[in-house]
Each structure stands twice: as C-alpha cells, then as structure tokens.
Amino acid sequence: AQSVTQLDSQVPVFEEAPVELRCNYSSSVSVYLFWYVQYPNQGLQLLLKYLSGSTLVESINGFEAEFNKSQTSFHLRKPSVHISDTAEYFCAVSEENRDDKIIFGKGTRLHILP
Amino acid sequence: NAGVTQTPKFRILKIGQSMTLQCTQDMNHNYMYWYRQDPGMGLKLIYYSVGAGITDKGEVPNGYNVSRSTTEDFPLRLELAAPSQTSVYFCASSSAGTSGRLEQFFGPGTRLTVL
C-alpha cells in the first residue's frame, strides 16, 4: 500500500534563508507526487506536481521539487524564503492505477523567523 | 466561479446530536471528497464520490454518511456526534480525466467541536 512520510513536523528558518522540506513515499507501482500548501485558516491548494517527464518541477512562487525514484523522495526546496511562505506543507502521492485517490502526509509547518 | 464552498464555518455540537456539513462546487467536477484534518495527522479521507449517485468509503468512514444526488452537492452527515469527531472537515473536488483527477480543489473547511 502507498504511504507518505514527512519526517519534520516543524521547520523554523530565517527569512531569506534556503529551506528543504523532506518527503519520502512508498509504493509498489508508478506514482504521481504532489506538494500542497495550507495557509492559516484556509483549505489546501496545489503548489506543484510531478506526473511524468522532467524530474524537477517548479511552482510560480519559487519553490521546486525533485522526484528521485531510487530514493523514493520528492523533497521541496526554496533558495530564499519570505515571511509570506509561512504555512503548512503537505506532500501527497497517488498511484498510477488509483488516481482517484490521493494519500497525504502529516504535514510540515514552516515557520519563517524575522 | 466560487469554487468549493462549505457551510457552516464553525459548529459546536453536543454528544449525540446530528448535523449535516454542506459542500457545493460550481466547477462541474465529477469527483468529490470529504477529509478530516486532525493536528499533526494530515488529512484522512472519509468518503468520496466519482459522480452523482455513486459514493464510496475512504479510510475513516465510521460515524459518517454521504449522498450525492447532484453533481454540485456532496453533503456529509454525522448522525450521533462523538468527541472523537472533533476535527476540521474539508470538502474537495476534481475533474474527470486522468490529469484532472490529480488536482483537488479544496473548500475553506468546517471546524467542528463535539462536547
């Protein structure tokens, strides 16, 4: 069965510093991978996704994630964070033959320190 | 488009009471989902629907019921509220077609407390 692990429940980082949020998955079949972001008191919204092709995917606000099949990882990175990036970030996986369901990780809360 | 709307935003229930959480989407999406979010636990799928008249259980369906009489609406029913159902509930939808199903659009959530 598929599963998603986000090892860090909280990540504090200074403004303008780089950040990496870790995500590992397990599945016996091909997968699609996602990062969703939840700003305070809001629902989740899609940040970026990997379906196929280039293993490096980017969002419009400077985040990127790289699919690493050998390490079963999909870590999220940003070279310089802003206070507006304060949010909870969820990694998610969907199996190729069950793309009507998405399994979410437990989330990583990103704290931006001034 | 309003997207996915949920009502109410907040609700306090007494143990044993019942209520319906409403969810409506105006994007003509076939797929709709109900999740609950507990602190530090991520999202757990309660029920989902692949179209009007079709519903299926997710990971944590006990204590809940759903119906899908129209494409737009997907209400979630709690019949006998219990403290374990204290949570934030999110409704989501996605379009048909492989790539469309892969992006879910979420409502703003309903914060439910059972005392």
Side-chain angles (χ1 to χ4, degrees), chain B residues 34-111:
Chain B
W34 273 106
Y35 295 92
R36 59 177 289 171
Q37 182 182 30
D38 301 304
M41 298 302 293
L43 276 76
K44 302 289 186 185
L45 182 65
I46 305 172
Y47 271 96
Y48 68 105
S49 169
V50 301
I54 306 169
T55 62
D56 207 348
K57 296 178 180 179
E59 188 180 355
V60 290
N62 291 345
Y64 307 94
N65 278 300
V66 294
S67 59
R68 185 92 182 273
S69 57
T70 67
T71 299
E72 295 78 20
D73 301 306
F74 191 41
L76 178 72
R77 179 84 178 161
L78 283 72
E79 291 294 350
L80 290 170
S84 61
Q85 294 178 304
T86 294
S87 188
V88 181
Y89 292 85
F90 287 100
C91 180
S93 71
S94 64
S95 65
T98 300
S99 62
R101 286 202 291 273
L102 297 173
E103 178 176 359
Q104 295 187 7
F105 293 81
F106 284 79
T110 294
R111 188 174 296 273

